[in-house]
Amino acid sequence: MKLNDLVPNEGSKKRRTRVGRGISAGKGKTAGRGTKGQKSRSGVGGNLYRQGGNLPFYRRLPFMRGEGFTPPNQVEWNEVNVGQLAKFDANTEVTHQLLAEANMLHKSKNPVAILGRGEISVPLTVKVQRITKSAQAKIEAAGGKVEIIA
């Protein structure tokens, strides 16, 4: 088999209809658009602002557009589960910097929040910006301490 032997499957390729090419082509004169009227002319459609008396599309949208949908001062958090902290040695002080060095943060400039998923058995001192009640209870039950920093 050579490259010049390759052909597409039967019926997979269909030629486009060339409209407006004479009566013998079957789509001559009006080219399948009917007779007269707005939709028979070129350049019709695509203008979302003209809707024949209805409230235009753009005015139906919410008034705040672009950056107005997401609050500009919103804080993104790096979420770390308690189960992920179990890999640290006992009596380690877990800080933002230590988590960043261990590649456990999505964006290192964002603050850290500890969530309660997973189990922990090693005592750790955790210094983070936010922690859930269940995560705090699990860390303290393992003999560790939690400090909330600003």
Side-chain angles (χ1 to χ4, degrees):
M1 177 179 273
K2 295 190 170 97
L3 282 175
N4 61 338
D5 294 334
L6 295 175
V7 290
N9 291 335
E10 192 67 38
S12 67
K13 299 286 185 181
K14 187 177 179 186
R15 293 183 59 144
R16 70 179 183 89
T17 305
R18 297 180 68 226
V19 296
R21 293 294 180 269
I23 55 171
S24 63
K27 288 276 194 219
K29 194 177 169 233
T30 55
R33 290 172 175 254
T35 319
K36 299 183 183 175
Q38 183 181 12
K39 290 185 179 178
S40 69
R41 318 285 191 219
S42 67
V44 69
N47 188 353
L48 290 173
Y49 206 81
R50 289 181 55 239
Q51 295 195 358
N54 295 337
L55 189 65
F57 177 75
Y58 293 110
R59 288 187 54 204
R60 275 186 263 152
L61 292 175
F63 290 123
M64 289 180 69
R65 299 186 182 94
E67 291 183 2
F69 282 109
T70 53
N73 300 328
Q74 181 176 335
V75 178
E76 283 186 44
W77 293 87
N78 285 310
E79 297 168 350
V80 180
N81 284 303
V82 169
Q84 294 174 276
L85 300 179
K87 74 176 194 176
F88 293 114
D89 296 329
N91 300 320
T92 305
E93 189 174 283
V94 179
T95 60
H96 185 281
Q97 189 175 8
L98 182 70
L99 293 170
E101 289 170 5
N103 289 329
M104 297 175 76
L105 305 182
H106 183 64
K107 290 183 180 176
S108 58
K109 65 178 179 137
N110 292 342
V112 178
I114 305 291
L115 307 179
R117 187 176 189 180
E119 297 300 325
I120 189 168
S121 58
V122 288
L124 299 172
T125 303
V126 180
K127 294 183 177 181
V128 289
Q129 287 83 3
R130 182 184 281 182
I131 189 166
T132 62
K133 290 178 183 176
S134 61
Q136 186 169 353
K138 288 179 182 180
I139 291 170
E140 289 171 351
K145 290 187 290 183
V146 174
E147 291 182 36
I148 305 295
I149 57 174

